[in-house]
Amino acid sequence: MSHIHINVENLEFAYDRVKDTRKDDSQDNRIIKDVSFRACENDSIGIIGANGVGKSTLLKLLVGLELNFTGQIRVEEIPLEKKTLSRVREKIGYVFQDSDSQLFMTNVYQDVAFAPRNYGLPQEEVDRRVKNALSSVHIEHLRDKPVHALSGGEKKLVSIATILSMIPDIILMDEPSAALDPKNRRNLINILNEFDHMKIITSHDLDFIWDTCNRILLMADGQIVADGTPDEILKNKELLEANGLELPLSLMQR
């Protein structure tokens, strides 16, 4: 069995719990409700669902951006908690939906080099990792380009390169195709399909999920209501419509 896996057991999370002083109980504000699943090395998982069902929150929990949860998350047998965050984040790379939240240095090289430098790696190793990360997303030509001069598609690829420079086993991506034009969207699909990493992707773009994922988790009201192959879930019109979604456009046209 591969060491690359994530185990989630009975996960629950609420940003707050509002006490109603008129009653002797609390309002249930759970965003994630009793979620359990296992992700393995060869999985490329698409997490889908209507707005507000907890998709992005679940990703943030998996990388430790929120820690006030109950239940258990284990990343390659490392229990996710405050004291293990640095170890977990060596295993997982997280790509934000908004690339501007991820890129903050002057040029592309400096952004991609930031994490390896922060971990104290020697300059020769930093240079090697930056070169390999840029090559992996086919943007070697952008190495010295100012970040402010990048297009939206270029920023997304640089954001991915910033996490590849840490050589993660697992990549998490929140709405990666958002705001991309058709050409950049197709380019991103092709690049992601070249990766050997375990991938977990949230998206409202079901055609993007169809083209990049081999397993689907369908969420509703903070819970996983279906877990199966793209054929089992993305072709199931009744299931999708019952959970506020529609068939991918590419499947409608067949």
Side-chain angles (χ1 to χ4, degrees):
M1 181 182 296
S2 170
H3 72 283
I4 301 173
H5 57 268
I6 297 175
N7 280 353
V8 177
E9 297 180 7
N10 308 119
L11 184 65
E12 301 206 345
F13 174 77
Y15 285 106
D16 57 8
R17 297 182 71 85
V18 179
K19 181 72 174 179
D20 187 342
T21 57
R22 296 168 300 175
K23 301 177 181 179
D24 189 23
D25 62 3
S26 297
Q27 181 179 338
D28 183 2
N29 290 314
R30 290 177 297 166
I31 305 298
I32 301 297
K33 303 175 183 178
D34 196 24
V35 164
S36 297
F37 69 95
R38 178 180 173 88
C40 300
E41 179 177 11
N42 296 319
D43 282 339
S44 180
I45 298 174
I47 301 179
I48 65 172
N51 285 334
V53 299
K55 303 185 300 294
S56 294
T57 299
L58 179 56
L59 276 198
K60 291 177 181 177
L61 290 169
L62 294 180
V63 76
L65 292 177
E66 300 287 350
L67 289 171
N68 188 28
F69 59 82
T70 61
Q72 187 176 77
I73 300 171
R74 299 183 71 87
V75 178
E76 300 183 6
E77 294 308 312
I78 303 169
L80 179 58
E81 51 195 50
K82 188 173 182 180
K83 66 183 180 182
T84 63
L85 274 181
S86 62
R87 292 173 61 202
V88 167
R89 289 175 180 170
E90 289 178 18
K91 310 292 185 182
I92 293 184
Y94 178 83
V95 181
F96 288 84
Q97 177 177 343
D98 179 8
S99 298
D100 289 328
S101 297
Q102 194 140 5
L103 305 176
F104 51 87
M105 302 296 284
T106 303
N107 65 26
V108 169
Y109 175 88
Q110 291 173 346
D111 254 317
V112 180
F114 179 83
R117 282 176 169 168
N118 197 46
Y119 273 78
L121 297 179
Q123 186 59 43
E124 181 179 353
E125 176 64 10
V126 171
D127 287 341
R128 186 185 72 83
R129 289 192 178 207
V130 171
K131 180 180 179 180
N132 289 343
L134 296 178
S135 176
S136 293
V137 292
H138 311 308
I139 55 170
E140 301 97 317
H141 60 290
L142 298 179
R143 182 184 187 278
D144 299 313
K145 190 168 184 177
V147 170
H148 69 81
L150 298 173
S151 69
E154 289 171 339
K155 285 183 177 179
K156 182 62 67 177
L157 295 179
V158 174
S159 295
I160 296 170
T162 65
I163 62 103
L164 292 179
S165 67
M166 288 305 296
I167 317 180
D169 293 329
I170 302 161
I171 297 175
L172 310 182
M173 305 186 76
D174 190 12
E175 297 286 352
S177 64
L180 294 185
D181 61 34
K183 181 179 179 180
N184 282 311
R185 178 183 172 279
R186 174 51 56 185
N187 185 45
L188 180 58
I189 288 170
N190 291 337
I191 287 171
L192 291 181
N193 286 338
E194 293 175 1
F195 290 176
D196 294 327
H197 305 74
M198 181 206 296
K199 298 183 290 289
I200 303 180
I201 302 169
T202 70
S203 185
H204 289 98
D205 183 349
L206 297 191
D207 288 276
F208 185 91
I209 294 294
W210 174 263
D211 286 337
T212 57
C213 296
N214 58 26
R215 179 181 169 194
I216 309 296
L217 301 181
L218 172 60
M219 293 188 67
D221 192 28
Q223 298 174 303
I224 295 173
V225 295
D227 179 351
T229 67
D231 276 352
E232 291 169 337
I233 294 179
L234 294 182
K235 289 184 176 180
N236 190 331
K237 185 173 185 287
E238 183 177 346
L239 174 65
L240 292 176
E241 290 184 350
N243 289 281
L245 301 173
E246 296 183 345
L247 287 171
L249 289 173
S250 58
L251 298 184
M252 289 183 181
Q253 296 166 359
R254 293 181 180 180

mmCIF file with all atom_site columns, all heavy atoms in Angstrom, residues 85-87 89-90 114-121 166:
data_model
loop_
_atom_site.group_PDB
_atom_site.id
_atom_site.type_symbol
_atom_site.label_atom_id
_atom_site.label_alt_id
_atom_site.label_comp_id
_atom_site.label_asym_id
_atom_site.label_entity_id
_atom_site.label_seq_id
_atom_site.pdbx_PDB_ins_code
_atom_site.Cartn_x
_atom_site.Cartn_y
_atom_site.Cartn_z
_atom_site.occupancy
_atom_site.B_iso_or_equiv
_atom_site.pdbx_formal_charge
_atom_site.auth_seq_id
_atom_site.auth_comp_id
_atom_site.auth_asym_id
_atom_site.auth_atom_id
_atom_site.pdbx_PDB_model_num
ATOM 1   N N   . LEU A 1 85  ? 1.585  20.894 11.673 1.00 0.00 ? 85  LEU A N   1
ATOM 2   C CA  . LEU A 1 85  ? 1.240  21.630 10.454 1.00 0.00 ? 85  LEU A CA  1
ATOM 3   C C   . LEU A 1 85  ? 2.393  21.698 9.463  1.00 0.00 ? 85  LEU A C   1
ATOM 4   O O   . LEU A 1 85  ? 2.203  21.514 8.257  1.00 0.00 ? 85  LEU A O   1
ATOM 5   C CB  . LEU A 1 85  ? 0.787  23.057 10.802 1.00 0.00 ? 85  LEU A CB  1
ATOM 6   C CG  . LEU A 1 85  ? -0.689 23.228 11.162 1.00 0.00 ? 85  LEU A CG  1
ATOM 7   C CD1 . LEU A 1 85  ? -0.979 24.689 11.448 1.00 0.00 ? 85  LEU A CD1 1
ATOM 8   C CD2 . LEU A 1 85  ? -1.583 22.708 10.048 1.00 0.00 ? 85  LEU A CD2 1
ATOM 9   N N   . SER A 1 86  ? 3.597  21.983 9.931  1.00 0.00 ? 86  SER A N   1
ATOM 10  C CA  . SER A 1 86  ? 4.719  22.120 9.007  1.00 0.00 ? 86  SER A CA  1
ATOM 11  C C   . SER A 1 86  ? 5.003  20.800 8.299  1.00 0.00 ? 86  SER A C   1
ATOM 12  O O   . SER A 1 86  ? 5.316  20.782 7.101  1.00 0.00 ? 86  SER A O   1
ATOM 13  C CB  . SER A 1 86  ? 5.970  22.616 9.740  1.00 0.00 ? 86  SER A CB  1
ATOM 14  O OG  . SER A 1 86  ? 6.383  21.690 10.725 1.00 0.00 ? 86  SER A OG  1
ATOM 15  N N   . ARG A 1 87  ? 4.871  19.684 9.012  1.00 0.00 ? 87  ARG A N   1
ATOM 16  C CA  . ARG A 1 87  ? 5.092  18.368 8.393  1.00 0.00 ? 87  ARG A CA  1
ATOM 17  C C   . ARG A 1 87  ? 4.010  18.065 7.365  1.00 0.00 ? 87  ARG A C   1
ATOM 18  O O   . ARG A 1 87  ? 4.299  17.574 6.267  1.00 0.00 ? 87  ARG A O   1
ATOM 19  C CB  . ARG A 1 87  ? 5.113  17.276 9.462  1.00 0.00 ? 87  ARG A CB  1
ATOM 20  C CG  . ARG A 1 87  ? 6.311  17.331 10.404 1.00 0.00 ? 87  ARG A CG  1
ATOM 21  C CD  . ARG A 1 87  ? 6.148  16.312 11.519 1.00 0.00 ? 87  ARG A CD  1
ATOM 22  N NE  . ARG A 1 87  ? 6.065  14.941 10.995 1.00 0.00 ? 87  ARG A NE  1
ATOM 23  C CZ  . ARG A 1 87  ? 5.509  13.929 11.651 1.00 0.00 ? 87  ARG A CZ  1
ATOM 24  N NH1 . ARG A 1 87  ? 4.966  14.135 12.851 1.00 0.00 ? 87  ARG A NH1 1
ATOM 25  N NH2 . ARG A 1 87  ? 5.476  12.730 11.119 1.00 0.00 ? 87  ARG A NH2 1
ATOM 26  N N   . ARG A 1 89  ? 2.204  20.211 5.698  1.00 0.00 ? 89  ARG A N   1
ATOM 27  C CA  . ARG A 1 89  ? 2.294  21.104 4.539  1.00 0.00 ? 89  ARG A CA  1
ATOM 28  C C   . ARG A 1 89  ? 3.509  20.829 3.662  1.00 0.00 ? 89  ARG A C   1
ATOM 29  O O   . ARG A 1 89  ? 3.608  21.391 2.568  1.00 0.00 ? 89  ARG A O   1
ATOM 30  C CB  . ARG A 1 89  ? 2.257  22.552 5.013  1.00 0.00 ? 89  ARG A CB  1
ATOM 31  C CG  . ARG A 1 89  ? 0.869  22.925 5.521  1.00 0.00 ? 89  ARG A CG  1
ATOM 32  C CD  . ARG A 1 89  ? 0.793  24.302 6.111  1.00 0.00 ? 89  ARG A CD  1
ATOM 33  N NE  . ARG A 1 89  ? -0.563 24.573 6.575  1.00 0.00 ? 89  ARG A NE  1
ATOM 34  C CZ  . ARG A 1 89  ? -0.896 25.628 7.316  1.00 0.00 ? 89  ARG A CZ  1
ATOM 35  N NH1 . ARG A 1 89  ? 0.038  26.517 7.656  1.00 0.00 ? 89  ARG A NH1 1
ATOM 36  N NH2 . ARG A 1 89  ? -2.144 25.800 7.694  1.00 0.00 ? 89  ARG A NH2 1
ATOM 37  N N   . GLU A 1 90  ? 4.409  19.973 4.119  1.00 0.00 ? 90  GLU A N   1
ATOM 38  C CA  . GLU A 1 90  ? 5.442  19.460 3.223  1.00 0.00 ? 90  GLU A CA  1
ATOM 39  C C   . GLU A 1 90  ? 4.864  18.400 2.284  1.00 0.00 ? 90  GLU A C   1
ATOM 40  O O   . GLU A 1 90  ? 5.416  18.152 1.210  1.00 0.00 ? 90  GLU A O   1
ATOM 41  C CB  . GLU A 1 90  ? 6.592  18.840 4.030  1.00 0.00 ? 90  GLU A CB  1
ATOM 42  C CG  . GLU A 1 90  ? 7.438  19.853 4.781  1.00 0.00 ? 90  GLU A CG  1
ATOM 43  C CD  . GLU A 1 90  ? 8.530  19.175 5.586  1.00 0.00 ? 90  GLU A CD  1
ATOM 44  O OE1 . GLU A 1 90  ? 8.840  17.998 5.289  1.00 0.00 ? 90  GLU A OE1 1
ATOM 45  O OE2 . GLU A 1 90  ? 9.063  19.797 6.504  1.00 0.00 ? 90  GLU A OE2 1
ATOM 46  N N   . PHE A 1 114 ? 10.142 31.175 -2.995 1.00 0.00 ? 114 PHE A N   1
ATOM 47  C CA  . PHE A 1 114 ? 9.902  31.631 -1.616 1.00 0.00 ? 114 PHE A CA  1
ATOM 48  C C   . PHE A 1 114 ? 9.850  30.476 -0.615 1.00 0.00 ? 114 PHE A C   1
ATOM 49  O O   . PHE A 1 114 ? 10.530 30.492 0.414  1.00 0.00 ? 114 PHE A O   1
ATOM 50  C CB  . PHE A 1 114 ? 8.613  32.445 -1.539 1.00 0.00 ? 114 PHE A CB  1
ATOM 51  C CG  . PHE A 1 114 ? 8.300  32.920 -0.155 1.00 0.00 ? 114 PHE A CG  1
ATOM 52  C CD1 . PHE A 1 114 ? 8.889  34.064 0.352  1.00 0.00 ? 114 PHE A CD1 1
ATOM 53  C CD2 . PHE A 1 114 ? 7.431  32.213 0.675  1.00 0.00 ? 114 PHE A CD2 1
ATOM 54  C CE1 . PHE A 1 114 ? 8.616  34.504 1.645  1.00 0.00 ? 114 PHE A CE1 1
ATOM 55  C CE2 . PHE A 1 114 ? 7.156  32.635 1.967  1.00 0.00 ? 114 PHE A CE2 1
ATOM 56  C CZ  . PHE A 1 114 ? 7.757  33.781 2.450  1.00 0.00 ? 114 PHE A CZ  1
ATOM 57  N N   . ALA A 1 115 ? 9.030  29.459 -0.887 1.00 0.00 ? 115 ALA A N   1
ATOM 58  C CA  . ALA A 1 115 ? 8.871  28.365 0.089  1.00 0.00 ? 115 ALA A CA  1
ATOM 59  C C   . ALA A 1 115 ? 10.160 27.576 0.278  1.00 0.00 ? 115 ALA A C   1
ATOM 60  O O   . ALA A 1 115 ? 10.566 27.326 1.427  1.00 0.00 ? 115 ALA A O   1
ATOM 61  C CB  . ALA A 1 115 ? 7.717  27.458 -0.324 1.00 0.00 ? 115 ALA A CB  1
ATOM 62  N N   . PRO A 1 116 ? 10.852 27.154 -0.785 1.00 0.00 ? 116 PRO A N   1
ATOM 63  C CA  . PRO A 1 116 ? 12.120 26.445 -0.560 1.00 0.00 ? 116 PRO A CA  1
ATOM 64  C C   . PRO A 1 116 ? 13.132 27.275 0.223  1.00 0.00 ? 116 PRO A C   1
ATOM 65  O O   . PRO A 1 116 ? 13.852 26.744 1.084  1.00 0.00 ? 116 PRO A O   1
ATOM 66  C CB  . PRO A 1 116 ? 12.619 26.151 -1.981 1.00 0.00 ? 116 PRO A CB  1
ATOM 67  C CG  . PRO A 1 116 ? 11.395 26.136 -2.820 1.00 0.00 ? 116 PRO A CG  1
ATOM 68  C CD  . PRO A 1 116 ? 10.484 27.161 -2.212 1.00 0.00 ? 116 PRO A CD  1
ATOM 69  N N   . ARG A 1 117 ? 13.200 28.571 -0.065 1.00 0.00 ? 117 ARG A N   1
ATOM 70  C CA  . ARG A 1 117 ? 14.104 29.433 0.699  1.00 0.00 ? 117 ARG A CA  1
ATOM 71  C C   . ARG A 1 117 ? 13.681 29.498 2.150  1.00 0.00 ? 117 ARG A C   1
ATOM 72  O O   . ARG A 1 117 ? 14.517 29.480 3.064  1.00 0.00 ? 117 ARG A O   1
ATOM 73  C CB  . ARG A 1 117 ? 14.107 30.848 0.096  1.00 0.00 ? 117 ARG A CB  1
ATOM 74  C CG  . ARG A 1 117 ? 14.943 30.995 -1.164 1.00 0.00 ? 117 ARG A CG  1
ATOM 75  C CD  . ARG A 1 117 ? 14.808 32.393 -1.737 1.00 0.00 ? 117 ARG A CD  1
ATOM 76  N NE  . ARG A 1 117 ? 15.787 32.648 -2.794 1.00 0.00 ? 117 ARG A NE  1
ATOM 77  C CZ  . ARG A 1 117 ? 15.734 33.696 -3.600 1.00 0.00 ? 117 ARG A CZ  1
ATOM 78  N NH1 . ARG A 1 117 ? 14.743 34.577 -3.484 1.00 0.00 ? 117 ARG A NH1 1
ATOM 79  N NH2 . ARG A 1 117 ? 16.653 33.861 -4.525 1.00 0.00 ? 117 ARG A NH2 1
ATOM 80  N N   . ASN A 1 118 ? 12.366 29.575 2.383  1.00 0.00 ? 118 ASN A N   1
ATOM 81  C CA  . ASN A 1 118 ? 11.855 29.680 3.742  1.00 0.00 ? 118 ASN A CA  1
ATOM 82  C C   . ASN A 1 118 ? 12.173 28.436 4.557  1.00 0.00 ? 118 ASN A C   1
ATOM 83  O O   . ASN A 1 118 ? 12.280 28.496 5.787  1.00 0.00 ? 118 ASN A O   1
ATOM 84  C CB  . ASN A 1 118 ? 10.341 29.921 3.709  1.00 0.00 ? 118 ASN A CB  1
ATOM 85  C CG  . ASN A 1 118 ? 9.798  30.455 5.019  1.00 0.00 ? 118 ASN A CG  1
ATOM 86  O OD1 . ASN A 1 118 ? 10.372 31.367 5.608  1.00 0.00 ? 118 ASN A OD1 1
ATOM 87  N ND2 . ASN A 1 118 ? 8.704  29.889 5.474  1.00 0.00 ? 118 ASN A ND2 1
ATOM 88  N N   . TYR A 1 119 ? 12.320 27.296 3.873  1.00 0.00 ? 119 TYR A N   1
ATOM 89  C CA  . TYR A 1 119 ? 12.692 26.059 4.548  1.00 0.00 ? 119 TYR A CA  1
ATOM 90  C C   . TYR A 1 119 ? 14.204 25.904 4.674  1.00 0.00 ? 119 TYR A C   1
ATOM 91  O O   . TYR A 1 119 ? 14.700 24.870 5.127  1.00 0.00 ? 119 TYR A O   1
ATOM 92  C CB  . TYR A 1 119 ? 12.097 24.864 3.818  1.00 0.00 ? 119 TYR A CB  1
ATOM 93  C CG  . TYR A 1 119 ? 10.693 24.521 4.279  1.00 0.00 ? 119 TYR A CG  1
ATOM 94  C CD1 . TYR A 1 119 ? 9.597  25.257 3.856  1.00 0.00 ? 119 TYR A CD1 1
ATOM 95  C CD2 . TYR A 1 119 ? 10.465 23.469 5.169  1.00 0.00 ? 119 TYR A CD2 1
ATOM 96  C CE1 . TYR A 1 119 ? 8.304  24.958 4.282  1.00 0.00 ? 119 TYR A CE1 1
ATOM 97  C CE2 . TYR A 1 119 ? 9.195  23.158 5.605  1.00 0.00 ? 119 TYR A CE2 1
ATOM 98  C CZ  . TYR A 1 119 ? 8.117  23.906 5.163  1.00 0.00 ? 119 TYR A CZ  1
ATOM 99  O OH  . TYR A 1 119 ? 6.839  23.608 5.604  1.00 0.00 ? 119 TYR A OH  1
ATOM 100 N N   . GLY A 1 120 ? 14.934 26.927 4.273  1.00 0.00 ? 120 GLY A N   1
ATOM 101 C CA  . GLY A 1 120 ? 16.379 26.926 4.486  1.00 0.00 ? 120 GLY A CA  1
ATOM 102 C C   . GLY A 1 120 ? 17.180 26.076 3.526  1.00 0.00 ? 120 GLY A C   1
ATOM 103 O O   . GLY A 1 120 ? 18.323 25.690 3.834  1.00 0.00 ? 120 GLY A O   1
ATOM 104 N N   . LEU A 1 121 ? 16.626 25.778 2.363  1.00 0.00 ? 121 LEU A N   1
ATOM 105 C CA  . LEU A 1 121 ? 17.359 24.973 1.390  1.00 0.00 ? 121 LEU A CA  1
ATOM 106 C C   . LEU A 1 121 ? 18.491 25.794 0.762  1.00 0.00 ? 121 LEU A C   1
ATOM 107 O O   . LEU A 1 121 ? 18.373 27.006 0.593  1.00 0.00 ? 121 LEU A O   1
ATOM 108 C CB  . LEU A 1 121 ? 16.407 24.486 0.296  1.00 0.00 ? 121 LEU A CB  1
ATOM 109 C CG  . LEU A 1 121 ? 15.269 23.564 0.755  1.00 0.00 ? 121 LEU A CG  1
ATOM 110 C CD1 . LEU A 1 121 ? 14.384 23.184 -0.420 1.00 0.00 ? 121 LEU A CD1 1
ATOM 111 C CD2 . LEU A 1 121 ? 15.816 22.317 1.437  1.00 0.00 ? 121 LEU A CD2 1
ATOM 112 N N   . MET A 1 166 ? 7.867  22.754 -3.647 1.00 0.00 ? 166 MET A N   1
ATOM 113 C CA  . MET A 1 166 ? 8.053  22.025 -2.398 1.00 0.00 ? 166 MET A CA  1
ATOM 114 C C   . MET A 1 166 ? 7.894  20.508 -2.581 1.00 0.00 ? 166 MET A C   1
ATOM 115 O O   . MET A 1 166 ? 7.915  19.751 -1.620 1.00 0.00 ? 166 MET A O   1
ATOM 116 C CB  . MET A 1 166 ? 7.070  22.525 -1.342 1.00 0.00 ? 166 MET A CB  1
ATOM 117 C CG  . MET A 1 166 ? 7.419  23.923 -0.811 1.00 0.00 ? 166 MET A CG  1
ATOM 118 S SD  . MET A 1 166 ? 9.109  24.007 -0.168 1.00 0.00 ? 166 MET A SD  1
ATOM 119 C CE  . MET A 1 166 ? 9.018  22.879 1.220  1.00 0.00 ? 166 MET A CE  1
#
